[in-house]
């Protein structure tokens, strides 16, 4: 299972975004420079980290980093 800290670390490393634990509650439109292409890169990084496939369609439905984390955490 991927932890919240792992999830935030992956986002920080992949996108060089200054995120902290509380930022999981942020809507994606509040995350600096976030766009749909970030989801594709995030899925790739998460799959590399976990060795498992991540359902991208479900992540695209989410409006917050928390929602994305919860989808990822239940997928792996």
């Amino acid at each position: 299972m991927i932890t919240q800290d792992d999830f935030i670390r992956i986002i920080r490393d992949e996108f060089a975004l200054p995120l902290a634990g509380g930022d999981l509650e942020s809507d994606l439109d509040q995350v600096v420079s976030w766009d749909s292409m970030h989801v594709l890169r995030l899925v790739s990084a998460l799959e590399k980290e976990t060795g498992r496939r991540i359902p991208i369609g479900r992540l695209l439905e989410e409006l917050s980093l928390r929602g994305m984390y919860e989808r990822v955490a239940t997928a792996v």
Side-chain angles (χ1 to χ4, degrees):
M1 179 173 165
I2 191 167
T3 67
Q4 290 182 20
D5 290 337
D6 292 335
F7 185 76
I8 290 170
R9 176 187 48 78
I10 291 167
I11 293 173
R12 276 196 314 247
D13 292 351
E14 186 69 23
F15 306 112
L17 294 175
L19 296 179
D23 292 321
L24 278 180
E25 307 308 323
S26 299
D27 288 340
L28 292 177
D29 61 353
Q30 294 176 339
V31 177
V32 176
S33 302
W34 191 268
D35 62 32
S36 59
M37 292 303 294
H38 283 89
V39 176
L40 298 173
R41 286 180 51 201
L42 178 59
V43 167
S44 178
L46 290 167
E47 288 180 343
K48 182 178 178 182
E49 177 85 13
T50 64
R52 299 205 171 203
R53 303 238 342 124
I54 305 294
I56 191 167
R58 295 182 126 177
L59 292 185
L60 288 170
E61 295 171 356
E62 294 300 332
L63 301 176
S64 69
L65 291 174
R66 163 77 58 207
M68 293 179 81
Y69 167 72
E70 289 174 358
R71 295 278 182 142
V72 168
T74 59
V76 293

